[in-house]
């Protein structure tokens, strides 16, 4: 049920909090909140959401019934979700949708729409999704933190894939994305202010460290159920990690597929360069209204160096190190974040200036 008219009716729906259910409105009024330039965030179960997404969280937590064969991709926004959606969709559907064809679903549909987000695409807007038509294994994505996943996800034998990305690159990507989404009449979103909030954990689905560490710890506890992937590793050794992913999803490559080069074909189809240049991703829109092109920017590792000072980078690294200790992540565990000391690091002032003037 909707409530009164919005004070900012020019804002896109996903940024407004006036059209959520009364139940959600009532909850919002009791939650800690923080205003960012783009949206008001509310802290629920330890994480920050905007109103519409929170409405979906409240709906999907009790109502989503996971099946043992489901596979869920979990990420924080801007960690490479689009890429993993493309890879996972192509992997499980490769028998029905041959990769080298003009009519592969990825040619006409953005990966975000092929693998719907649980709390937003399926349950926000007071929807009751019809999941019966989904082919098995059903693929879903979520930005929910591990501790807030629907109970049925924990209780079923469904699988979880988590994609983690260096928070420095995530921050820069998020900042660009937020600026793309902002209404025309809103000033560019302040970089430093947003950075300070991010470091305090105040960002969409933040704190980033609790998000990452929640899944990281679970992957160590329960490797049968959870696969923890890193964007940087996927970039460095894509074949290795695609094979791991296929194995984990119960659709390993056969010897014949290996000989025929299917691994490389999938990587090519889902590559940043290929997806970004498809017509659908240049001009199309998602069913939720986002422009497809907003999900393809640079797709590189280490772009943060063009925007953050070395001190800012260190600050984010130190936060993760500090939180790892608190979460009891041992030194013997494989490195969670890429370690890449760079004495010649210089943010690209021209680029930053250009963005600020946009
Ligand atoms: P950048 O902004 O650093 O370029 P998400 O899909 O979670 O919203 O993440 C978006 C980020 O993933 C963006 O990062 C985007 O460019 C990058 N990305 C999108 N498709 C990709 C692909 N096929 N391969 C690698 N990175 C990709």
């Amino acid at each position: 049920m909707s409530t009164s008219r919005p004070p900012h009716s020019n804002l896109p729906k996903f940024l407004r909090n006036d059209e959520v259910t009364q139940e959600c409105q009532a909850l919002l009024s009791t939650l800690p909140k923080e205003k960012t330039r783009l949206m008001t965030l509310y802290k629920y179960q330890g994480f920050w959401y905007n109103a519409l997404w929170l409405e979906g969280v409240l709906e999907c937590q009790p109502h989503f019934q996971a099946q043992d064969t489901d596979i869920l991709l979990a990420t924080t926004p801007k960690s490479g979700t689009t890429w993993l959606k493309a890879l996972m969709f192509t992997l499980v559907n490769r028998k029905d949708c041959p990769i080298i064809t003009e009519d592969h679903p990825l040619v006409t549909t953005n990966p975000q729409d092929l693998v719907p987000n649980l709390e937003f695409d399926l349950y926000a807007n007071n929807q009751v999704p019809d999941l019966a038509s989904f082919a098995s294994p059903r693929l879903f994505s979520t930005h929910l933190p591990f501790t807030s996943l629907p109970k049925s996800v924990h209780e079923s034998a469904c699988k979880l894939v988590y994609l983690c990305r260096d928070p420095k690159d995530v921050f820069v990507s998020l900042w660009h994305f937020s600026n793309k989404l902002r209404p025309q009449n809103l000033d560019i979103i302040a970089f430093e202010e947003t950075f300070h909030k991010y470091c305090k954990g105040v960002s969409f689905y933040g704190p980033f460290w609790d998000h990452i560490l929640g899944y990281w710890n679970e992957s160590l506890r329960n490797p049968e159920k959870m696969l923890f992937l890193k964007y940087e590793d996927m970039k460095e050794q894509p074949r290795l990690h695609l094979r791991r992913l296929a194995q984990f999803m119960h659709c390993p490559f056969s010897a014949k597929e290996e000989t025929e080069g299917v691994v490389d074909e999938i990587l090519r189809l889902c590559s940043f360069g290929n997806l970004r240049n498809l017509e659908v991703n240049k001009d199309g829109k998602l069913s939720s209204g986002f422009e497809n092109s907003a999900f393809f920017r640079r797709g590189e590792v280490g772009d943060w160096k063009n925007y953050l000072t070395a001190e800012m980078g260190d600050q984010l690294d130190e936060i993760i190190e500090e939180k790892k200790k608190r979460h009891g992540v041992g030194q013997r565990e494989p490195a969670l974040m890429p370690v890449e000391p760079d004495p010649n690091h210089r943010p690209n002032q021209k680029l930053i200036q250009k963005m600020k003037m946009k």
Side-chain angles (χ1 to χ4, degrees), residues 254-268:
S254 65
K256 183 165 172 275
E257 284 180 314
E258 289 284 358
T259 323
E260 287 173 352
V262 175
V263 174
D264 282 350
E265 273 309 324
I266 293 180
L267 290 170
R268 187 206 54 79

Side-chain angles (χ1 to χ4, degrees), residues 76-83 112 165 173 231 235 270-272 275 295-299:
T76 57
K78 302 299 118 197
S79 299
T81 321
T82 316
W83 185 21
Q112 294 286 346
R165 189 181 186 192
S173 183
Y231 183 95
K235 278 278 187 182
C270 301
S271 67
F272 178 82
L275 292 182
F295 292 88
F296 304 94
R297 192 182 62 89
R298 295 196 65 180

